[in-house]
């Protein structure tokens, strides 16, 4: 039965891939990342820069190009970009206009984070760089449809579950919850689990109680204080239409690996629901979306993990290594493009680079490269091209030199969100503040030892402030121009610049 299911799965993927290939001039870009990594802001800023590139260029009047590394724009070959109806009618549309209004409106604020899968198509029309053989048969400007697939980071780590039995997942989850970084927040759930006989009679009340306590543990682990990452199943925190269903009413139990629990037992019921979760949630998600991606960007809020300490950093490293096991990485060729596309380019991006002075950007990249080294080694081994960058899709701060106690110090300046504080000072959301960011270590291995930030005071509680988006400038049409960024153009060039030659 499993072989038949796999064959049907592969056939469905091949059919969808063939359909995409025949459409021509199309690239499917996956945008993902763990919670609060900035996926919504990244997509909104990317699309805004593309669709307003010509207006931004005209408004600059010869001043610095906002996308100097994105060659098709820097060479003035990008004629236009516009939104088109997305190809997948059953997938919600990414709320681009709503998110853009949040970023650029009078009451500017960061948009709501991703809570479901969504899609958006942006169509680029451009001039080819040189007249080749293909150009003689297709005169005029070329066209590329970029289908951007956005999905919650909480769903990312579900994909490795496809290869794990209920017993294996239970063992790994219980072991992780016993670690020092998790033991306190997992105490109620672990205590309830210890008082249950897995081989006893199945009880819906027991299942619901354990699932609720398990979900509370997962939710606590995601808070800024702990910033833990390896927390599948992802739909427990974002259940959507599945809330209250049996497929989301299970929890780990200490069961023996390699043997089936007795029929009618609590363990048997939990195992059945775990398998239903994989069948009805994880596998369709993989089949309909992951298996059709051409390029992938993985956004990482490394600063949040650094703030929370070495345990969160180690957890993030494990999560990033697990993520790559789900992607079909590898160098694409004609047959794979038609029947089984592979992700041939993956970009790991450390977000919120604007929270650091530019002198620490290289160190932030080095930290992320160190965290992803296992994942990168695996992906590069099968032919995928990997890059690591530090970026800010929207730059909320600017840099300045500030005098402090007779010294000139490098600072970042921005408008902290109302309620943010430094010591006894509480910001009102209107006044700007000059912040002295900590320095990341020259040796990225130090982030595992707890001295990630070199602080002036040894016992300082150094947490990065949250800033409001900057005020948008208006073009001649009175519409907002793209907001400033850090290395968004480099991300564009890596992810699809080669398709615009």
């Amino acid at each position: 039965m499993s072989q038949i299911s796999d064959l049907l799965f592969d056939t469905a993927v091949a059919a969808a891939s063939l359909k995409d290939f025949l459409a021509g001039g199309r690239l499917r870009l996956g945008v993902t990342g763990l919670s609060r990594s900035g996926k919504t802001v990244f997509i909104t800023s990317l699309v805004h820069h593309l669709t307003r590139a010509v207006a931004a260029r005209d408004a600059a009047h010869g001043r610095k190009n906002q996308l100097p590394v994105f060659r098709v724009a820097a060479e003035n070959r990008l004629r236009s970009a516009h939104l088109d109806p997305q190809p997948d009618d059953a997938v919600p549309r990414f709320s681009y206009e709503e998110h853009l209004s949040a970023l650029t409106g009078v009451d500017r604020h960061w948009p709501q984070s991703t809570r479901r899968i969504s899609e958006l198509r942006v169509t680029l029309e451009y001039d080819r760089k040189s007249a080749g053989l293909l150009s003689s048969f297709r005169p005029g400007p070329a066209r590329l449809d970029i289908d951007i697939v956005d999905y919650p980071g909480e769903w990312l780590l579900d994909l490795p579950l496809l290869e794990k039995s209920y017993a294996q997942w239970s063992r790994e989850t219980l072991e992780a919850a016993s670690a020092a970084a998790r033991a306190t927040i997992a105490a109620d759930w672990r205590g309830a689990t210890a008082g249950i006989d897995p081989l006893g009679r199945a009880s819906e009340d027991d299942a619901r109680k354990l699932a609720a306590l398990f979900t509370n543990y997962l939710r606590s682990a995601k808070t800024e204080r702990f910033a833990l990452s390896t927390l599948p199943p992802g739909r427990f925190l974002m259940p959507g239409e599945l809330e209250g269903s049996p497929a989301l009413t299970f929890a780990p139990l200490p069961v023996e690996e390699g043997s089936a629990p007795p029929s009618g037992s609590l363990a048997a019921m939990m195992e059945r629901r775990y398998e239903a979760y994989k069948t009805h949630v994880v596998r369709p998600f993989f089949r309909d979306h992951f298996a059709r991606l051409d390029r992938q960007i993985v956004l990482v809020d490394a600063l949040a993990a650094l703030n929370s300490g070495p345990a969160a950093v180690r957890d993030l490293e494990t999560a990033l290594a697990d993520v790559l096991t789900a992607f079909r990485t590898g160098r694409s060729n004609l047959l794979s493009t038609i029947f089984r596309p592979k992700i041939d380019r993956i970009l790991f991006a450390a977000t919120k680079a604007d929270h650091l002075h530019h002198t620490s950007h290289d160190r932030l990249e080095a930290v992320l490269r160190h965290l992803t080294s296992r994942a990168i080694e695996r992906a590069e081994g099968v032919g995928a091209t990997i890059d690591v960058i530090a970026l800010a899709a929207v730059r909320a701060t600017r840099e300045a030199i500030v005098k402090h106690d007779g010294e000139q110090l490098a600072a970042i300046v921005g408008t902290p969100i109302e309620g943010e504080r430094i010591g006894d000072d509480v910001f009102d959301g209107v006044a700007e503040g000059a912040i002295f960011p900590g320095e990341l270590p020259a040796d990225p291995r130090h982030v595992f030892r707890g001295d990630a930030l070199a602080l002036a005071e040894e016992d300082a509680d150094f947490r990065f402030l949250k800033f409001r988006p900057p005020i948008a400038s208006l073009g001649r049409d009175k519409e907002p121009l793209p907001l400033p960024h850090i290395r968004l153009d480099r991300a564009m060039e890596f992810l699809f610049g080669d398709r615009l030659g």
Side-chain angles (χ1 to χ4, degrees):
M1 184 63 69
S2 176
Q3 291 179 339
I4 295 176
S5 176
D6 289 343
L7 178 60
L8 292 174
F9 172 80
D10 289 342
T11 301
V13 171
S17 301
L18 179 59
K19 178 181 177 182
D20 288 346
F21 176 78
L22 293 176
R26 179 184 300 177
L27 182 144
R28 290 182 66 84
L29 171 63
V31 179
T32 193
L34 301 176
S35 181
R36 297 184 296 275
S37 59
K39 298 179 293 297
T40 302
V41 173
F42 174 83
I43 295 173
T44 304
S45 181
L46 182 146
V47 173
H48 196 209
H49 273 279
L50 289 174
T51 56
R52 296 285 283 168
V54 175
R57 183 185 64 204
D58 294 342
H61 297 298
R63 296 193 298 273
K64 185 178 179 181
N65 178 11
Q66 280 200 344
L67 303 172
V69 180
F70 188 43
R71 285 185 291 181
V72 70
E75 296 167 358
N76 293 328
R77 293 189 293 111
L78 183 62
R79 291 193 169 207
S80 67
H82 60 272
L83 298 178
D84 273 335
Q86 65 197 63
D88 299 314
D89 294 332
V91 178
R93 182 180 183 272
F94 180 82
S95 300
Y96 167 71
E97 294 81 5
E98 177 184 336
H99 298 322
L100 180 63
S101 177
L103 285 170
T104 60
V106 175
D107 185 27
R108 65 192 193 280
H109 59 275
W110 301 108
Q112 291 290 326
S113 59
T114 300
R115 299 191 63 83
R116 63 179 185 180
I117 189 166
S118 63
E119 190 173 81
L120 191 69
R121 169 174 286 186
V122 57
T123 296
L124 278 57
E125 294 185 0
Y126 62 98
D127 293 319
R128 295 183 180 86
K129 191 170 184 178
S130 60
L133 178 62
L134 185 61
S135 298
S136 63
F137 294 101
R138 300 176 67 182
R143 167 183 172 134
L144 177 66
D145 294 332
I146 302 177
D147 293 332
I148 302 172
V149 181
D150 172 39
Y151 49 91
E154 283 72 13
W155 299 1
L156 256 183
L157 299 175
D158 281 353
L159 299 178
L161 299 181
L162 293 173
E163 305 298 325
K164 295 180 181 180
S165 67
Y166 172 72
Q168 179 185 354
W169 169 73
S170 292
R171 173 178 55 78
E172 293 176 354
T173 304
L174 289 166
E175 287 177 354
S178 66
R182 304 186 182 213
T184 301
I185 55 177
D188 290 344
W189 159 58
R190 292 177 64 210
T193 301
I196 291 288
D197 179 10
L199 304 184
R201 184 178 179 82
S203 165
E204 185 66 32
D205 286 343
D206 288 341
R208 294 177 67 84
K209 176 184 176 182
L210 290 175
L213 290 171
F214 180 55
T215 302
N216 288 339
Y217 152 66
L218 297 179
R219 188 173 292 113
S220 297
K222 296 296 291 184
T223 60
E224 290 184 10
R225 177 183 176 187
F226 298 100
L228 298 174
S229 304
T230 50
L231 299 165
R235 286 289 186 102
F236 274 50
L237 297 181
M238 292 184 176
E241 72 283 0
L242 294 174
E243 186 169 8
S245 67
L248 263 64
T249 310
F250 65 90
L253 290 173
V255 293
E256 184 178 349
E257 295 185 48
S259 62
S263 177
S265 66
L266 179 63
M269 183 172 73
M270 293 289 202
E271 181 179 57
R272 184 177 67 253
R273 293 180 175 185
Y274 170 81
E275 294 297 332
Y277 182 84
K278 290 162 58 177
T279 299
H280 299 296
V281 177
V282 183
R283 186 172 289 275
F285 184 50
F286 180 55
R287 176 192 65 222
D288 297 337
H289 305 290
F290 277 93
R292 297 170 56 199
L293 296 177
D294 303 303
R295 305 283 167 86
Q296 178 72 50
I297 180 169
V298 180
L299 302 172
V300 183
D301 186 1
L303 296 183
L306 292 174
N307 277 338
S308 296
V313 172
R314 285 191 290 269
D315 199 65
L316 177 60
E317 181 191 33
T318 300
L320 292 173
D322 288 346
V323 162
L324 263 293
T325 64
F327 294 140
R328 294 185 182 279
T329 55
R331 190 174 291 112
S332 292
N333 54 45
L334 181 59
L335 288 178
S336 69
T337 299
I338 296 175
F339 296 109
R340 202 65 182 269
K342 294 181 179 180
I343 298 173
D344 58 3
R345 291 197 176 197
I346 303 172
L347 181 64
F348 287 98
T351 57
K352 305 176 185 177
D354 56 332
H355 288 52
L356 294 169
H357 193 268
H358 76 271
T359 53
S360 281
H361 289 178
D362 287 346
R363 294 185 176 187
L364 181 58
E365 286 188 9
V367 167
L368 182 57
R369 188 173 294 278
H370 185 68
L371 290 173
T372 57
S373 59
R374 285 189 289 163
I376 290 175
E377 183 179 358
R378 181 185 298 118
E380 289 180 333
V382 292
T385 302
I386 314 291
D387 199 5
V388 173
I389 66 171
L391 65 75
V394 170
R395 182 172 189 165
T397 66
R398 64 185 188 276
E399 295 184 353
I401 300 297
V402 177
K403 288 186 177 180
H404 180 70
D405 292 339
E407 294 185 68
Q408 288 190 329
L409 301 176
I412 57 174
V413 180
T415 305
I417 292 174
E418 183 179 2
E420 289 290 290
R421 64 167 58 227
I422 296 180
D424 295 330
D425 295 328
V426 181
F427 291 94
D428 60 6
V430 177
E432 285 193 329
I435 313 300
F436 304 104
E439 293 183 355
L440 296 181
D443 186 345
R445 293 174 296 182
H446 289 181
V447 300
F448 293 94
R449 299 207 299 264
D451 50 356
L453 295 171
L455 306 179
E457 299 179 28
E458 182 177 349
D459 296 327
D461 180 15
F462 193 95
R463 293 187 178 273
F464 297 102
L465 292 182
K466 299 174 184 175
F467 296 91
R468 294 181 67 189
I471 299 174
S473 300
L474 301 181
R476 295 174 181 174
D477 56 3
K478 304 303 180 182
E479 294 296 323
L481 294 170
L483 297 171
H485 66 89
I486 297 175
R487 298 185 189 87
L488 180 64
D489 51 340
R490 180 175 154 189
M492 291 180 177
E493 182 63 27
F494 178 82
L495 291 169
F496 47 82
D498 62 314
R499 297 289 295 271
L500 302 168

